[in-house]
Amino acid sequence: MLLESYQSKSTVVNTKINNVDVFGVLVSEQMAYVNYLRVANGMVIQSQNMVVKKKMTESDDEILLNAIAQMKNLHKLESEEFIVPFIPDIDSKIPFTVPVKWR
């Protein structure tokens, strides 16, 4: 009974979305906040928030790429796509997508 009620509360993003990692980044002068969501079979199956003390010369690109690298190492990500607020300046085999609403 408890399992059924828990499952019914799961967030379904879109059943066509599979094997995608979503990153959001908010940067202030001294701190950066990174939100991570793992979407599989249209459902958010994992999430994590990171607070990063920003270095003086660190760009938003560097913050995002460092967060992606940390999540890849921590969770052994095998993503088919990254959904991000901006396209970082890096060559990658995995495509980056910026949703229309974030542009």
Side-chain angles (χ1 to χ4, degrees), residues 18-95:
N18 190 34
N19 202 16
V20 173
D21 293 311
V22 182
F23 289 87
V25 179
L26 177 65
V27 180
S28 69
E29 288 183 28
Q30 297 177 352
M31 303 298 284
Y33 306 91
V34 180
N35 298 310
Y36 163 72
L37 298 174
R38 175 88 180 123
V39 180
N41 300 316
M43 294 180 288
V44 176
I45 61 168
Q46 189 172 26
S47 67
Q48 186 168 342
N49 297 314
M50 296 174 57
V51 179
V52 179
K53 186 170 181 175
K54 187 177 172 188
K55 298 175 185 132
M56 291 183 75
T57 60
E58 196 170 30
S59 70
D60 292 359
D61 271 16
E62 291 171 316
I63 292 167
L64 177 61
L65 292 171
N66 286 335
I68 290 172
Q70 283 183 345
M71 291 299 157
K72 284 179 90 169
N73 289 334
L74 184 63
H75 299 293
K76 310 296 184 223
L77 304 182
E78 295 181 9
S79 308
E80 294 175 4
E81 177 183 15
F82 290 123
I83 298 177
V84 292
F86 55 87
I87 303 293
D89 187 21
I90 188 172
D91 288 330
S92 174
K93 294 178 183 177
I94 300 169

